[in-house]
Amino acid sequence: MSLVWKLMRRHISLGQLAGFFFANLCGMVIVLLSIQFYQDVAPVFTEGDSFMKKDYIIVSKKVSTLGSFVGKSSTFSNAEIEEIEEQPFTRGVGEFTPSQFKVSTGVGMEQLGLNLSTAMFFESVPDKYVDTSLEGWQFEPGQEEIPIIIPRNYLNLYNFGFAQSRNLPQISEGVINMVNLEVRISGGGRMDTYKGKIAGFSNRLNTILVPESFMTWANTHYGENGIRKDPSRLIVEVNNPTDERIAQFFRERGYDTEDDKLDAGKTTWFLKVIVGIVLSVGLLISALSFYILMLSIYLLLQKNTTKLENLLLIGYGPNRVAFPYQSLTILLNAVVLVLSVGIVLYVRTLYLDLVEQMFPSLNAGSWWLMLVVGILLFLSVSCFNVLAIRKKIASIWMHKN
C-alpha cells in the first residue's frame, strides 16, 4: 500500500486540491447556512404575523356619494366572487363574514385603574387566512370564552394616542393577557355575556376577528332573520403579486385594495426569489467543486496509468490500488463538512442576536436539519467519488487484460 501512496504523492497537484477544497467549502457553507437561516427565521415566514408566508390582498368595492344615494350595493355577489376565483392569478378567495347582532365590550384592568366600555363589531375569515397562531382559536357552542384577534395598530393607537392624552399607562403585548374583556351580545330576542380573550394581534387584517365557528353559530343564534349577508370585503390569495393582470383586473372592476398590499406583495416575492437564488448559487458552487475534485483525481490516475497497470500486474487488486485515491477524496470531503458546520454555527450566533432584537418572541430553530443535510451531502458525494475512482481503476485493469 505504501507504494501506491508514494506514487500518488509524486504527481499530486496541491493547487488543484486547494482549489477544490476552498470552492467546496464555500459551496457547502452557502448551502448549509441557507438551510440553517431558514430554520431559524421560519416562524417569521410561516407563523404568527408572517410577512412572507403567502401573498394576500384585501379587496373591497369603492364607496361613492352617488352610489350611497341610489342604494348601490357595496357587497360582493356570488357571481363576482366566482369571477375572482376563476382568474389565473388567484389561488384562493376568503370572505369576511360580518356579525348580524349587536356587540358591546367592556375592558377592565384593575391593576392599572383602567375601565373602558364601547360598542363594537365582529368579523371572521376562514382560519387559513388568519395571520396569528391558531392555538386556542376554536369555539364550541356553550363555551363562555371567545378568542379575539385585534389589529396591532389598535394597540399602538391606545399606547401613543389615547394613553398619553389621558395620562394612562401604556400596555405591551406581554401584559395584554391582564385585560379582562366582558362581551355583551344581543339580538334575536336574546342577550348574553361572554368573556373575551385577546388571542393575538394581526398586521394583515384591519378588523376585530373572532373564529369562523363562533360567527357561524352566533349569526344563527342571535341574528335577526338568519339570512346570510353577502360579504363587503374579500381576502384574495394570489400566486405572484408582480403579475400586472392583478392591478388591471381590480382597476377595471372598480375594486379597492387596502393600503399598499400589492407593493408589499411584490417586495416579499422578490425576497423569496433572492433566497432561492442564494441557495441555487451555493448548490452550483458545490457541484463545480465536486467536478474539480473528480478532474484532479482523474488527472492523477491518468498520469500514473502505466505504473498502476504494473501494480495490478504484480498482484495488487483493483480495490487496493483505488483505496488511497478514495481515502483522499473522503478525507477532503470530511474536512470540508466539519469546517462548514463550524462556520455556519459561528455565523448563526452573529445573526441570531440581530434577529432576536427584531423579533423578541422568535424561537430559533434546531440545527439538526442543517447537520443532517451536510452529512447526506458528504455521504452522497463521497459515494459518487468512490464509485467513479473504482470504475476508472477497473477500466485500466480490464484494458490491460
Side-chain angles (χ1 to χ4, degrees):
M1 190 63 65
S2 59
L3 292 176
V4 184
W5 280 107
K6 292 179 180 179
L7 181 64
M8 183 180 67
R9 286 200 301 267
R10 287 185 58 189
H11 296 284
I12 196 170
S13 174
L14 295 178
Q16 289 177 345
L17 292 181
F20 152 76
F21 180 82
F22 288 109
N24 193 12
L25 182 63
C26 291
M28 183 74 80
V29 167
I30 292 175
V31 172
L32 298 186
L33 185 59
S34 299
I35 295 172
Q36 186 58 49
F37 182 79
Y38 177 80
Q39 283 289 107
D40 289 329
V41 300
V44 179
F45 298 158
T46 58
E47 298 176 4
D49 293 332
S50 164
F51 62 90
M52 287 182 65
K53 183 180 180 181
K54 294 178 181 178
D55 297 308
Y56 297 105
I57 301 173
I58 310 299
V59 182
S60 60
K61 288 188 175 181
K62 292 183 179 180
V63 179
S64 63
T65 304
L66 180 60
S68 301
F69 282 115
V70 300
K72 184 179 179 180
S73 175
S74 62
T75 61
F76 291 90
S77 65
N78 291 334
E80 290 171 325
I81 296 174
E82 290 176 0
E83 183 186 24
I84 297 176
E85 290 177 336
E86 292 171 356
Q87 298 305 308
F89 54 76
T90 302
R91 296 184 61 182
V93 178
E95 301 179 9
F96 282 81
T97 303
S99 56
Q100 301 178 26
F101 45 83
K102 295 180 180 180
V103 181
S104 62
T105 303
V107 181
M109 292 186 66
E110 298 179 358
Q111 299 90 333
L112 302 178
L114 176 63
N115 191 7
L116 301 173
S117 180
T118 183
M120 60 187 302
F121 65 95
F122 285 153
E123 281 189 303
S124 70
V125 294
D127 291 347
K128 68 177 182 178
Y129 297 107
V130 176
D131 59 335
T132 61
S133 173
L134 295 179
E135 183 179 355
W137 189 245
Q138 297 89 23
F139 178 84
E140 296 290 340
Q143 183 175 317
E144 296 184 356
E145 188 176 78
I146 306 173
I148 300 173
I149 294 176
I150 64 175
R152 182 167 276 109
N153 58 8
Y154 282 23
L155 183 62
N156 295 334
L157 286 173
Y158 168 81
N159 285 332
F160 305 113
F162 185 82
Q164 291 185 352
S165 65
R166 299 297 182 91
N167 293 322
L168 293 172
Q170 294 182 332
I171 303 175
S172 67
E173 294 183 19
V175 299
I176 200 65
N177 289 331
M178 297 170 59
V179 174
N180 299 316
L181 295 178
E182 185 180 79
V183 181
R184 291 179 292 277
I185 298 178
S186 60
R190 303 180 179 89
M191 185 174 67
D192 294 306
T193 301
Y194 297 88
K195 295 180 181 179
K197 176 184 179 182
I198 297 180
F201 298 87
S202 174
N203 286 327
R204 177 192 305 149
L205 304 174
N206 190 24
T207 187
I208 301 174
L209 285 179
V210 291
E212 189 175 38
S213 56
F214 168 78
M215 185 64 75
T216 302
W217 173 81
N219 279 340
T220 303
H221 193 67
Y222 297 103
E224 297 295 338
N225 49 26
I227 300 176
R228 176 186 176 275
K229 293 183 178 180
D230 291 333
S232 58
R233 291 195 298 168
L234 302 175
I235 179 168
V236 182
E237 181 184 352
V238 296
N239 294 312
N240 178 4
T242 63
D243 194 333
E244 297 179 355
R245 295 174 295 181
I246 300 176
Q248 181 181 356
F249 175 82
F250 292 149
R251 183 172 57 251
E252 291 176 351
R253 300 301 188 277
Y255 298 159
D256 275 339
T257 58
E258 288 189 2
D259 302 326
D260 56 349
K261 299 299 183 182
L262 286 176
D263 292 336
K266 292 178 182 179
T267 302
T268 59
W269 185 79
F270 280 118
L271 287 175
K272 293 177 183 178
V273 171
I274 291 173
V275 171
I277 290 175
V278 170
L279 188 59
S280 300
V281 169
L283 292 173
L284 178 61
I285 293 176
S286 295
L288 291 176
S289 65
F290 300 151
Y291 177 77
I292 292 174
L293 174 63
M294 288 307 304
L295 184 61
S296 300
I297 298 298
Y298 270 47
L299 288 175
L300 279 176
L301 294 173
Q302 193 65 35
K303 290 177 181 179
N304 297 327
T305 298
T306 303
K307 296 178 181 179
L308 291 174
E309 289 176 347
N310 293 334
L311 288 174
L312 292 170
L313 287 174
I314 63 176
Y316 283 90
N319 290 336
R320 294 183 62 188
V321 173
F323 180 76
Y325 297 94
Q326 295 170 339
S327 300
L328 176 64
T329 60
I330 294 174
L331 177 63
L332 288 174
N333 290 332
V335 173
V336 166
L337 173 63
V338 173
L339 289 179
S340 298
V341 172
I343 292 173
V344 169
L345 293 179
Y346 173 73
V347 174
R348 180 174 184 256
T349 60
L350 299 180
Y351 72 69
L352 275 183
D353 292 337
L354 178 61
V355 173
E356 289 175 354
Q357 291 177 8
M358 298 173 61
F359 305 98
S361 61
L362 178 67
N363 295 321
S366 172
W367 50 270
W368 285 107
L369 178 62
M370 178 270 296
L371 182 60
V372 170
V373 171
I375 293 175
L376 290 177
L377 284 174
F378 162 74
L379 292 176
S380 59
V381 172
S382 297
C383 289
F384 176 79
N385 295 153
V386 167
L387 294 176
I389 293 172
R390 180 181 298 177
K391 182 178 179 181
K392 182 65 176 177
I393 296 295
S395 65
I396 296 175
W397 172 245
M398 296 299 297
H399 176 70
K400 187 63 182 175
N401 284 340

